[in-house]
Amino acid sequence: KAKALGRNKCCFHTKELNRAFKKNLAIEQALRKALEQEEFVLHYQPQYGAGNKQLVGAEALIRWQPRVGPLVSPADFIPLAEETGLIVPIGEWVLRTACSQAADWLQRGLPPFRISVNVSPRQLDESDYAENVLAILGETGLPPQYLMLEITEGVAIREEKETLAKLLPLKQQGVQFAIDDFGTGYSSLSYLMGVQADALKIAQMFINYVPGCPGQAAIVKAIVAMAGSLKLTVIAEGVETEEQFEFLRSQGCHWIQGYYFMKPVTAMEFERLHPISDREEGAV
Ligand code: C2E
Ligand code: MG
Ligand code: MG
Ligand code: MG
């Protein structure tokens, strides 16, 4: 009897697994098709200097717009894209699209700013990763110093030395690196020494509770102070309120990104909100 029960259980389990597998397979196929049929779009979220509120950068964030149905958030498909390896071609599309958009803006006289692109660990595993990035920069005409690659803290730690060596050609060309979601991984300090990043993005979870929560405020203060003395650009993301903005500015945080200023928007909306005429007014 017990055996029968066990078998039943096992059957049930297999069925569930099977269902999950089929569902993932369906999503994988849909993602593949989305890439071929150009159903992905990038939204851009601006970053501003904390002191003068001038545009300093923008983060490119992917969304999936299927032919029918609502916009899909990256949280709902990036993990599967990473699992299946599809993140490699998708990530390449993101980089090419973001660089060509930024090059176009730069050429048309939008104030120069840095375009940030998120990189998955899986992409760094590719042996020709740096080569590909340099090729895309060449192709799109974006000067390397205008590109910032965001790597999540903890990602490069596993094979820190290897990853570093792989990224060296990019650093030498002037590509910038930011540690994303800082404070959520491990061994942050040794990591910082090794990775030679240019910027650090304080994880949103720390921003949520400042300045109200003294513990969190102390952590943010310490991160900003440490990053500042390491000469890293400190970026706060997920800043939603005036109080958060004021606190971060007063602590010496350099760049601010968040709904307090603007949600991620389409390229067209971004242009409308950051008119090129700013520059023309300044010119004689
Ligand atoms: P992330 O890189 O940490 O991006 C910041 C996320 O915070 C974005 O979510 C952004 O829309 C959101 N955000 C910005 N300001 C605020 C705010 O004031 N309040 C709140 N509550 N949220 C804010 P999004 O666009 O849904 O992206 C989620 C994550 O998906 C990203 O986190 C990133 O890890 C990943 N992702 C997005 N695009 C790409 C991509 O092209 N490649 C890869 N590999 N990952 C991506
Ligand atoms: Mg990011
Ligand atoms: Mg982040
Ligand atoms: Mg992230």
Side-chain angles (χ1 to χ4, degrees):
K1 196 150 198 196
K3 207 174 171 189
L5 194 68
R7 198 156 53 218
N8 269 340
K9 247 189 182 161
C10 172
C11 257
F12 176 71
H13 190 58
T14 307
K15 233 187 230 166
E16 286 287 286
L17 272 181
N18 216 2
R19 198 173 297 147
F21 178 76
K22 277 192 182 141
K23 189 175 157 232
N24 278 3
L25 203 66
I27 302 175
E28 184 186 342
Q29 277 160 358
L31 282 177
R32 223 177 268 282
K33 217 177 104 212
L35 192 61
E36 279 166 19
Q37 308 197 341
E38 297 175 40
E39 292 178 352
F40 292 115
V41 284
L42 291 186
H43 284 187
Y44 298 87
Q45 186 174 36
Q47 301 163 324
Y48 300 95
N52 57 13
K53 300 193 178 177
Q54 294 287 314
L55 182 69
V56 286
E59 181 174 7
L61 294 154
I62 193 172
R63 278 96 183 80
W64 177 13
Q65 178 60 77
R67 288 291 140 91
V68 285
L71 206 63
V72 186
S73 123
D76 293 333
F77 67 87
I78 291 288
L80 201 85
E82 287 178 335
E83 247 173 70
T84 57
L86 273 174
I87 193 65
V88 173
I90 292 175
E92 197 175 314
W93 177 86
V94 169
L95 185 67
R96 182 173 292 111
T97 307
C99 289
S100 104
Q101 182 64 75
D104 175 59
W105 279 334
L106 202 62
Q107 204 202 347
R108 284 165 49 212
L110 211 72
F113 63 88
R114 227 161 245 161
I115 189 84
S116 286
V117 173
N118 293 285
V119 180
S120 281
R122 188 64 184 67
Q123 293 175 267
L124 298 176
D125 287 343
E126 299 290 295
S127 57
D128 55 356
Y129 178 71
E131 243 177 284
N132 276 336
V133 174
L134 292 175
I136 287 171
L137 286 170
E139 213 178 282
T140 58
L142 185 72
Q145 66 270 25
Y146 290 115
L147 174 64
M148 176 125 92
L149 296 175
E150 291 192 7
I151 300 177
T152 305
E153 184 202 5
V155 158
I157 285 177
R158 277 170 292 135
E159 285 138 307
E160 198 176 298
K161 282 214 182 88
E162 249 173 76
T163 306
L164 259 180
K166 227 183 261 179
L167 297 180
L168 200 62
L170 296 177
K171 281 200 73 78
Q172 283 168 341
Q173 292 297 312
V175 173
Q176 305 283 298
F177 286 89
I179 302 172
D180 203 356
D181 303 327
F182 182 80
T184 59
Y186 343 78
S187 67
S188 318
L189 299 175
S190 66
Y191 181 65
L192 275 182
M193 286 197 305
V195 86
Q196 294 176 329
D198 305 279
L200 175 159
K201 298 185 84 168
I202 304 172
Q204 194 174 311
M205 60 173 290
F206 296 112
I207 307 298
N208 286 341
Y209 300 97
V210 299
C213 170
Q216 301 279 0
I219 288 174
V220 170
K221 256 187 197 184
I223 294 176
V224 176
M226 177 201 64
S229 50
L230 287 170
K231 305 271 187 292
L232 297 171
T233 300
V234 192
I235 307 169
E237 64 179 337
V239 177
E240 295 184 348
T241 68
E242 170 99 52
E243 290 72 34
Q244 290 170 346
F245 171 77
E246 276 309 325
F247 175 79
L248 291 158
R249 191 191 53 76
S250 72
Q251 292 308 315
C253 191
H254 302 107
W255 297 7
I256 307 286
Q257 176 184 350
Y259 297 171
Y260 172 62
F261 283 110
M262 209 180 289
K263 291 195 172 186
V265 293
T266 62
M268 211 195 264
E269 190 71 353
F270 191 91
E271 277 182 39
R272 200 177 64 73
L273 294 161
H274 302 93
I276 290 165
S277 64
D278 261 359
R279 198 170 170 185
E280 284 164 0
E281 274 166 29
V284 183

